[in-house]
Amino acid sequence: MQGYASVQQHNENESSQRQIPHLPQHKSFLQTFCSSNGPPQVVVVTFLTTLSYGAIVAILPQVGTQRFAVLNYGYDGEDCASFAYYDKPQECLKGSADAQNAHAFSEFVANGFIVLTGPLFGSITDTHGRRLWFVVGTVLAEVGIFAFFYVFFQPSSNPWVFYCIRSLHGVVNWIAISLSILADIIPPEFRAAAVGQLMAAYWLGVCIGPTIAVFLGNTNAVIFSCIVAIIAI
Protein backbone atom coordinates (compact mmCIF):
# COMPACT_ATOMS: atom_id res chain seq x y z
CA MET A 1 0.00 0.00 0.00
CA GLN A 2 2.86 2.34 0.76
CA GLY A 3 4.40 1.62 -2.64
CA TYR A 4 1.08 2.32 -4.41
CA ALA A 5 0.67 5.57 -2.47
CA SER A 6 4.18 6.72 -3.35
CA VAL A 7 3.61 5.96 -7.04
CA GLN A 8 0.31 7.84 -7.00
CA GLN A 9 1.93 10.83 -5.27
CA HIS A 10 4.74 10.78 -7.85
CA ASN A 11 2.22 10.84 -10.70
CA GLU A 12 0.37 13.72 -9.10
CA ASN A 13 3.60 15.68 -8.77
CA GLU A 14 4.44 15.09 -12.42
CA SER A 15 0.95 16.19 -13.47
CA SER A 16 1.22 19.36 -11.42
CA GLN A 17 4.56 20.15 -13.04
CA ARG A 18 3.25 19.80 -16.57
CA GLN A 19 2.62 23.06 -18.35
CA ILE A 20 -0.94 23.48 -19.47
CA PRO A 21 -0.91 24.70 -23.09
CA HIS A 22 -2.35 28.15 -23.56
CA LEU A 23 -5.41 28.27 -25.72
CA PRO A 24 -5.23 30.79 -28.56
CA GLN A 25 -6.92 34.06 -27.71
CA HIS A 26 -9.50 35.10 -30.26
CA LYS A 27 -9.55 38.74 -31.26
CA SER A 28 -12.72 40.73 -30.88
CA PHE A 29 -14.47 42.22 -33.88
CA LEU A 30 -13.04 45.68 -33.28
CA GLN A 31 -9.51 44.31 -32.95
CA THR A 32 -9.88 42.30 -36.13
CA PHE A 33 -11.49 45.13 -38.03
CA CYS A 34 -9.07 47.88 -37.00
CA SER A 35 -5.96 45.74 -37.53
CA SER A 36 -7.00 44.66 -41.03
CA ASN A 37 -5.67 46.40 -44.11
CA GLY A 38 -8.50 47.76 -46.19
CA PRO A 39 -11.84 47.66 -44.33
CA PRO A 40 -11.19 50.70 -42.06
CA GLN A 41 -10.13 52.76 -45.07
CA VAL A 42 -13.21 51.66 -47.02
CA VAL A 43 -15.51 52.69 -44.17
CA VAL A 44 -13.85 56.10 -43.86
CA VAL A 45 -14.06 56.74 -47.62
CA THR A 46 -17.71 55.68 -47.59
CA PHE A 47 -18.47 58.15 -44.81
CA LEU A 48 -16.66 61.01 -46.57
CA THR A 49 -18.31 60.26 -49.91
CA THR A 50 -21.83 60.33 -48.51
CA LEU A 51 -20.99 63.33 -46.32
CA SER A 52 -19.85 65.35 -49.34
CA TYR A 53 -22.99 64.52 -51.30
CA GLY A 54 -25.24 65.00 -48.29
CA ALA A 55 -23.92 68.54 -47.89
CA ILE A 56 -25.27 69.54 -51.33
CA VAL A 57 -28.49 67.55 -51.11
CA ALA A 58 -29.88 70.16 -48.72
CA ILE A 59 -29.40 73.00 -51.22
CA LEU A 60 -29.80 71.12 -54.50
CA PRO A 61 -33.58 71.72 -54.86
CA GLN A 62 -33.18 75.44 -54.20
CA VAL A 63 -30.34 75.87 -56.67
CA GLY A 64 -31.99 73.72 -59.32
CA THR A 65 -35.32 75.52 -59.01
CA GLN A 66 -33.79 78.97 -59.29
CA ARG A 67 -31.53 78.05 -62.20
CA PHE A 68 -34.25 76.35 -64.26
CA ALA A 69 -36.65 79.21 -63.57
CA VAL A 70 -34.11 81.69 -64.94
CA LEU A 71 -32.85 79.69 -67.91
CA ASN A 72 -36.05 77.99 -69.07
CA TYR A 73 -38.68 80.60 -68.22
CA GLY A 74 -36.83 83.91 -68.13
CA TYR A 75 -37.46 84.56 -64.45
CA ASP A 76 -35.69 87.69 -63.17
CA GLY A 77 -37.33 88.28 -59.78
CA GLU A 78 -36.33 87.51 -56.22
CA ASP A 79 -34.90 84.18 -55.18
CA CYS A 80 -37.58 81.52 -55.53
CA ALA A 81 -36.70 80.20 -52.08
CA SER A 82 -37.85 83.46 -50.50
CA PHE A 83 -41.49 82.78 -51.39
CA ALA A 84 -43.92 80.53 -49.60
CA TYR A 85 -45.14 77.69 -51.79
CA TYR A 86 -48.56 79.21 -52.50
CA ASP A 87 -46.98 82.59 -53.27
CA LYS A 88 -44.33 81.34 -55.67
CA PRO A 89 -44.39 82.78 -59.21
CA GLN A 90 -45.28 80.34 -61.95
CA GLU A 91 -41.73 80.45 -63.26
CA CYS A 92 -40.47 79.19 -59.89
CA LEU A 93 -43.05 76.40 -59.77
CA LYS A 94 -42.12 75.30 -63.27
CA GLY A 95 -38.44 75.52 -62.40
CA SER A 96 -39.05 73.34 -59.36
CA ALA A 97 -40.81 70.76 -61.51
CA ASP A 98 -37.92 70.78 -63.98
CA ALA A 99 -35.41 70.31 -61.16
CA GLN A 100 -37.33 67.33 -59.79
CA ASN A 101 -37.60 65.77 -63.23
CA ALA A 102 -33.89 66.28 -63.85
CA HIS A 103 -32.98 64.65 -60.54
CA ALA A 104 -35.33 61.73 -61.19
CA PHE A 105 -33.82 61.27 -64.66
CA SER A 106 -30.31 61.35 -63.23
CA GLU A 107 -31.06 58.67 -60.65
CA PHE A 108 -32.91 56.57 -63.25
CA VAL A 109 -29.86 56.60 -65.51
CA ALA A 110 -27.53 55.87 -62.58
CA ASN A 111 -29.62 52.88 -61.50
CA GLY A 112 -29.74 51.70 -65.09
CA PHE A 113 -25.95 51.76 -65.19
CA ILE A 114 -25.83 49.76 -61.95
CA VAL A 115 -28.10 47.06 -63.39
CA LEU A 116 -26.17 46.86 -66.67
CA THR A 117 -22.58 47.16 -65.46
CA GLY A 118 -22.86 45.58 -62.01
CA PRO A 119 -22.32 41.96 -63.14
CA LEU A 120 -19.54 43.05 -65.52
CA PHE A 121 -17.49 44.91 -62.95
CA GLY A 122 -18.24 42.25 -60.36
CA SER A 123 -16.55 39.71 -62.61
CA ILE A 124 -13.66 42.08 -63.40
CA THR A 125 -12.96 42.85 -59.74
CA ASP A 126 -13.08 39.14 -58.88
CA THR A 127 -10.40 38.47 -61.49
CA HIS A 128 -8.18 41.56 -61.49
CA GLY A 129 -8.58 42.92 -57.96
CA ARG A 130 -10.87 45.46 -56.36
CA ARG A 131 -8.65 48.36 -55.32
CA LEU A 132 -8.43 50.07 -58.72
CA TRP A 133 -12.15 49.83 -59.40
CA PHE A 134 -13.00 50.97 -55.90
CA VAL A 135 -10.96 54.12 -56.57
CA VAL A 136 -12.64 54.58 -59.97
CA GLY A 137 -16.09 54.18 -58.42
CA THR A 138 -15.27 56.68 -55.70
CA VAL A 139 -14.01 59.23 -58.24
CA LEU A 140 -17.17 58.84 -60.32
CA ALA A 141 -19.25 59.33 -57.17
CA GLU A 142 -17.35 62.49 -56.26
CA VAL A 143 -17.01 64.08 -59.69
CA GLY A 144 -20.63 65.17 -59.47
CA ILE A 145 -19.68 67.31 -56.47
CA PHE A 146 -17.23 69.28 -58.59
CA ALA A 147 -19.84 69.60 -61.34
CA PHE A 148 -22.22 71.12 -58.81
CA PHE A 149 -19.45 73.47 -57.67
CA TYR A 150 -19.16 74.67 -61.27
CA VAL A 151 -22.92 75.07 -61.72
CA PHE A 152 -23.29 76.88 -58.41
CA PHE A 153 -20.59 79.49 -59.08
CA GLN A 154 -21.40 79.94 -62.78
CA PRO A 155 -24.87 81.54 -62.95
CA SER A 156 -25.08 81.10 -66.71
CA SER A 157 -24.35 77.34 -66.60
CA ASN A 158 -27.04 74.76 -67.19
CA PRO A 159 -27.96 72.51 -64.23
CA TRP A 160 -28.07 69.57 -66.60
CA VAL A 161 -24.27 69.58 -66.44
CA PHE A 162 -24.51 68.43 -62.86
CA TYR A 163 -27.37 65.98 -63.33
CA CYS A 164 -25.70 64.24 -66.28
CA ILE A 165 -22.33 63.94 -64.57
CA ARG A 166 -23.96 62.84 -61.35
CA SER A 167 -25.58 59.89 -63.12
CA LEU A 168 -22.12 58.47 -63.88
CA HIS A 169 -21.75 57.25 -60.31
CA GLY A 170 -23.79 54.23 -61.33
CA VAL A 171 -21.25 53.08 -63.92
CA VAL A 172 -19.01 51.56 -61.23
CA ASN A 173 -20.98 50.75 -58.10
CA TRP A 174 -18.50 51.56 -55.35
CA ILE A 175 -20.81 50.36 -52.59
CA ALA A 176 -20.96 46.86 -54.08
CA ILE A 177 -17.17 46.82 -54.37
CA SER A 178 -16.88 48.02 -50.76
CA LEU A 179 -18.99 45.09 -49.59
CA SER A 180 -16.83 42.71 -51.63
CA ILE A 181 -13.66 44.09 -50.04
CA LEU A 182 -15.09 43.46 -46.58
CA ALA A 183 -16.10 39.92 -47.55
CA ASP A 184 -12.60 39.21 -48.87
CA ILE A 185 -10.73 40.35 -45.76
CA ILE A 186 -12.99 40.04 -42.72
CA PRO A 187 -13.39 36.53 -41.24
CA PRO A 188 -16.83 34.97 -41.76
CA GLU A 189 -17.86 35.32 -38.12
CA PHE A 190 -17.38 39.10 -38.27
CA ARG A 191 -18.70 39.89 -41.75
CA ALA A 192 -22.19 40.84 -40.63
CA ALA A 193 -20.75 43.30 -38.10
CA ALA A 194 -18.41 44.72 -40.76
CA VAL A 195 -21.30 45.29 -43.14
CA GLY A 196 -23.13 47.00 -40.30
CA GLN A 197 -20.15 49.31 -39.82
CA LEU A 198 -20.14 50.17 -43.52
CA MET A 199 -23.85 50.90 -43.61
CA ALA A 200 -23.61 52.95 -40.43
CA ALA A 201 -20.87 55.06 -42.00
CA TYR A 202 -22.95 55.46 -45.16
CA TRP A 203 -26.08 56.68 -43.43
CA LEU A 204 -24.16 58.76 -40.91
CA GLY A 205 -22.73 60.78 -43.80
CA VAL A 206 -26.17 61.09 -45.39
CA CYS A 207 -27.64 62.38 -42.12
CA ILE A 208 -24.85 64.73 -41.06
CA GLY A 209 -24.25 66.32 -44.47
CA PRO A 210 -27.55 68.20 -44.80
CA THR A 211 -27.36 69.32 -41.17
CA ILE A 212 -23.93 70.83 -41.75
CA ALA A 213 -25.20 72.57 -44.90
CA VAL A 214 -28.00 74.23 -42.94
CA PHE A 215 -25.53 75.76 -40.50
CA LEU A 216 -22.93 76.72 -43.11
CA GLY A 217 -25.20 78.30 -45.70
CA ASN A 218 -25.25 77.58 -49.42
CA THR A 219 -21.86 78.93 -50.48
CA ASN A 220 -19.91 77.49 -47.57
CA ALA A 221 -21.73 74.18 -47.89
CA VAL A 222 -20.64 73.81 -51.52
CA ILE A 223 -17.03 74.62 -50.61
CA PHE A 224 -17.18 72.21 -47.65
CA SER A 225 -18.56 69.48 -49.91
CA CYS A 226 -15.71 69.90 -52.39
CA ILE A 227 -13.08 69.80 -49.64
CA VAL A 228 -14.53 66.58 -48.23
CA ALA A 229 -14.69 65.09 -51.74
CA ILE A 230 -11.01 65.86 -52.30
CA ILE A 231 -10.11 64.21 -48.98
CA ALA A 232 -12.16 61.13 -49.90
CA ILE A 233 -10.42 60.74 -53.25
Side-chain angles (χ1 to χ4, degrees), residues 100 104 127 138 184 198 201:
Q100 294 178 53
T127 306
T138 303
D184 290 343
L198 182 69

Side-chain angles (χ1 to χ4, degrees), residues 28 51 59 79 87 95 97-98 109 115 118 125 129 131 142 144 146 150 155 160 174 183 188 206-207 210 219 231:
S28 66
L51 178 64
I59 63 176
D79 193 332
D87 296 330
D98 289 351
V109 173
V115 172
T125 57
R131 179 178 297 180
E142 297 290 15
F146 304 112
Y150 167 77
W160 276 106
W174 59 278
V206 171
C207 294
T219 302
I231 295 173

Side-chain angles (χ1 to χ4, degrees), residues 19-233:
Q19 292 184 353
I20 300 175
H22 294 286
L23 296 176
Q25 295 182 353
H26 294 284
K27 291 183 177 180
S28 66
F29 164 69
L30 287 179
Q31 290 175 323
T32 303
F33 184 83
C34 295
S35 62
S36 59
N37 183 19
Q41 293 85 347
V42 168
V43 169
V44 171
V45 170
T46 298
F47 169 72
L48 294 175
T49 302
T50 54
L51 178 64
S52 62
Y53 184 65
I56 68 170
V57 163
I59 63 176
L60 181 59
Q62 176 184 346
V63 175
T65 296
Q66 182 69 23
R67 195 60 55 84
F68 278 121
V70 172
L71 295 179
N72 292 352
Y73 306 104
Y75 180 69
D76 58 356
E78 299 180 13
D79 193 332
C80 293
S82 63
F83 296 97
Y85 178 79
Y86 295 103
D87 296 330
K88 284 184 183 293
Q90 284 298 314
E91 294 87 348
C92 292
L93 294 176
K94 292 179 181 179
S96 176
D98 289 351
Q100 294 178 53
N101 291 335
H103 184 75
F105 175 80
S106 175
E107 292 303 314
F108 175 79
V109 173
N111 289 324
F113 279 135
I114 291 174
V115 172
L116 295 175
T117 64
L120 172 63
F121 284 106
S123 177
I124 292 174
T125 57
D126 287 341
T127 306
H128 300 286
R130 310 192 194 279
R131 179 178 297 180
L132 172 62
W133 294 107
F134 175 74
V135 173
V136 172
T138 303
V139 171
L140 290 176
E142 297 290 15
V143 71
I145 303 298
F146 304 112
F148 187 79
F149 181 90
Y150 167 77
V151 170
F152 184 83
F153 288 103
Q154 290 292 330
S156 60
S157 60
N158 196 311
W160 276 106
V161 173
F162 163 75
Y163 290 111
C164 291
I165 294 178
R166 172 61 186 168
S167 65
L168 296 177
H169 79 274
V171 174
V172 180
N173 188 357
W174 59 278
I175 283 292
I177 298 176
S178 300
L179 293 171
S180 299
I181 292 173
L182 296 183
D184 290 343
I185 299 175
I186 300 297
E189 63 269 24
F190 293 138
R191 285 177 186 166
V195 172
Q197 288 276 27
L198 182 69
M199 293 295 100
Y202 181 96
W203 290 110
L204 184 64
V206 171
C207 294
I208 293 178
T211 305
I212 294 176
V214 171
F215 287 102
L216 293 180
N218 291 2
T219 302
N220 291 333
V222 174
I223 297 173
F224 170 81
S225 177
C226 287
I227 293 174
V228 173
I230 293 172
I231 295 173
I233 295 174

